Amino acid sequence: YQAGYNITEAIRSEFIGHSAAGSVTTAQYVTAIGYQAGHSMTVTGNNVLIGKYAGRELTKDFSTMVGINAGQNTSTGVNNTYIGASAAKNSSTGYYNVAVGNNAGNYLSGATGRVDVGYGAGYYVSGNGNVFIGLQAGYGDATQTTNSANYNVGIGYEALKDITSGVYNIALGWLAGENITTGDNSVIIGNNAGQALTTQNENVLIGQTAGQDLTGQYNVFLGSAAGYNATSADSNVAIG
């Protein structure tokens, strides 16, 4: 019903579902399938929007949004790929982002160059250039919807889960750097490594449980359980 209702000129486009692409006048290579999918587009091209409310507010081109509410509130974003129920649902603008998984990148907002893969990955983070892969990796602080963390890499179950405004951190492993909020410039590799860090900066912790209880800064701990019992230590090196 009323799919493509206002169309006047279209090239190789498909509109299926109640009010799908209902405002479109001119389209080329556009697929909108689902209740109000792509409803707000007028002159548009090269979009694939599948699912109830997928890309509902979208007005720009070159986006792929698949899943109920995927990219629902994205208006002026370009070259984005959002796949999963509510993936990047509350993003408004932004370019060159990928959010794959239910609720992944939910609050991308105006971010550029983001990759969020996994259930809730990057959910509350709006900063640029982050890569969060894993269930709730880079999830962010639920009491804020504009966690501004930039240029972080969190890969693994809940890696960098609590990140808010920290920058240039790399955390790889199950719960690696889980509690970092505002800390910057740390490299954390290994399951449970650096798990107690919050606001501290410039630690290098490599190895399973390396620096697990650490709350200090400027340390280098290399090896399984290296610096495991260190707490508020600063400027130390432990290898092995």
Side-chain angles (χ1 to χ4, degrees), residues 196-200 203 211 213-217 219 230-234:
L197 293 173
T198 55
T199 62
Q200 296 77 23
N203 288 293
D213 296 326
L214 181 66
T215 58
Q217 306 186 99
N219 297 287
T231 53
S232 58
D234 294 332

Side-chain angles (χ1 to χ4, degrees), residues 112 127-131 149-153 166-169:
T112 298
N128 300 315
N130 296 296
V131 176
N150 293 307
Y151 311 113
N152 297 285
V153 176
V167 298
Y168 301 114
N169 296 291

Side-chain angles (χ1 to χ4, degrees), residues 58-76:
L58 187 66
T59 59
K60 296 295 184 178
D61 307 328
F62 299 101
S63 288
T64 299
M65 301 176 181
V66 179
I68 185 171
N69 300 325
Q72 177 180 342
N73 294 307
T74 299
S75 54
T76 58

